[in-house]
Amino acid sequence: MITPALPASREQSRKNSREDSITALALAARSGDPDAVDLFVRALHRDVRHYVTYLGADPQSADDLTQDTFLRALGSLHRFEGRSSARTWLLSIARRAVIDSIRYNSSRPRLSDTDDWESAAERVQPRHLPGFDDGIALTQLLDTLPDDRREAFVLTQLVGLPYAEAALVSDCPIGTVRSRVARARASLMAWLDEAEHAAPVAVAA
């Protein structure tokens, strides 16, 4: 059974209310409220983990990057003034954490942490994403996208940021984000169509 979609105005109002609540938690956490800190981390942990997983291209490091993001955020929370949403601010920190990690790892010999990378990737795959069949390896598809398009797609389509906030996180114009998302979506849909047409042939073989 398909749940009817909320009217656009109600859906946007619901999203705005959630963003306001999370930002209020961040401001309360800044004041030293331990309960607010816990709720703030819980509210955004999933979004941060998804984001760093797809940008970091290394599922094994996702937990470390997520933890690093929150440690950085909590350490600089006293400077957060609520001028942007707390989620936008946090994802900007996550982006820097990923970039720092990539730079650090690129200066060291790369070693495999697991003998079964594909199984590791499967364990961190999000499920029940609209428009994607559970059997499709979304992680592998996203990895084929250029970095800028993958980031734009993850921010807006998986994490759920509005385009304007995704532009702030990515430090680029909103029109650029829209263009990157449109191109990423077109590429993904083309690859999904190819996979669907190729599946019967593979089974027959």
Side-chain angles (χ1 to χ4, degrees):
M1 179 178 179
I2 299 177
T3 303
L6 291 173
S9 58
R10 287 181 58 194
E11 177 66 13
Q12 187 59 49
S13 177
R14 184 185 67 80
K15 288 182 178 180
N16 290 342
S17 177
R18 180 174 184 268
E19 293 299 325
D20 290 344
S21 296
I22 293 174
T23 299
L25 284 174
L27 292 172
R30 184 187 66 175
S31 301
D33 183 342
D35 291 334
V37 171
D38 181 63
L39 290 172
F40 172 67
V41 172
R42 289 175 182 271
L44 292 175
H45 187 276
R46 179 176 178 273
D47 286 348
V48 171
R49 195 179 192 285
H50 276 179
Y51 185 49
V52 300
T53 296
Y54 289 114
L55 291 190
D58 181 1
Q60 294 299 301
S61 68
D63 288 332
D64 290 339
L65 284 169
T66 300
Q67 182 178 19
D68 183 30
T69 295
F70 280 105
L71 287 175
R72 293 186 186 202
L74 295 177
S76 59
L77 196 56
H78 61 283
R79 294 197 295 268
F80 176 66
E81 298 180 354
R83 294 178 181 175
S84 63
S85 75
R87 185 161 61 150
T88 298
W89 174 75
L90 185 63
L91 291 176
S92 295
I93 294 175
R95 187 173 191 265
R96 288 195 295 272
V98 171
I99 290 172
D100 289 346
S101 175
I102 291 173
R103 286 175 176 169
Y104 175 73
N105 290 332
S106 66
S107 66
R108 305 177 63 199
R110 185 171 179 83
L111 300 176
S112 175
D113 294 326
T114 176
D115 293 330
D116 191 355
W117 187 91
E118 290 186 1
S119 294
E122 184 68 19
R123 286 197 295 273
V124 300
Q125 281 233 131
R127 298 297 181 182
H128 310 299
L129 293 174
F132 292 94
D133 185 84
D134 282 349
I136 297 297
L138 180 57
T139 298
Q140 294 177 3
L141 288 180
L142 288 175
D143 281 347
T144 64
L145 293 173
D147 291 346
D148 54 356
R149 295 181 192 176
R150 181 172 68 246
E151 179 185 26
F153 185 87
V154 169
L155 283 172
T156 59
Q157 308 305 303
L158 301 185
V159 176
L161 279 188
Y163 284 94
E165 293 192 23
L168 289 175
V169 172
S170 304
D171 192 25
C172 67
I174 186 172
T176 300
V177 173
R178 293 185 184 280
S179 174
R180 290 173 179 174
V181 172
R183 292 180 180 183
R185 185 184 290 114
S187 295
L188 292 173
M189 293 308 298
W191 289 323
L192 287 171
D193 287 342
E194 290 178 8
E196 289 177 357
H197 286 91
V201 176
V203 172

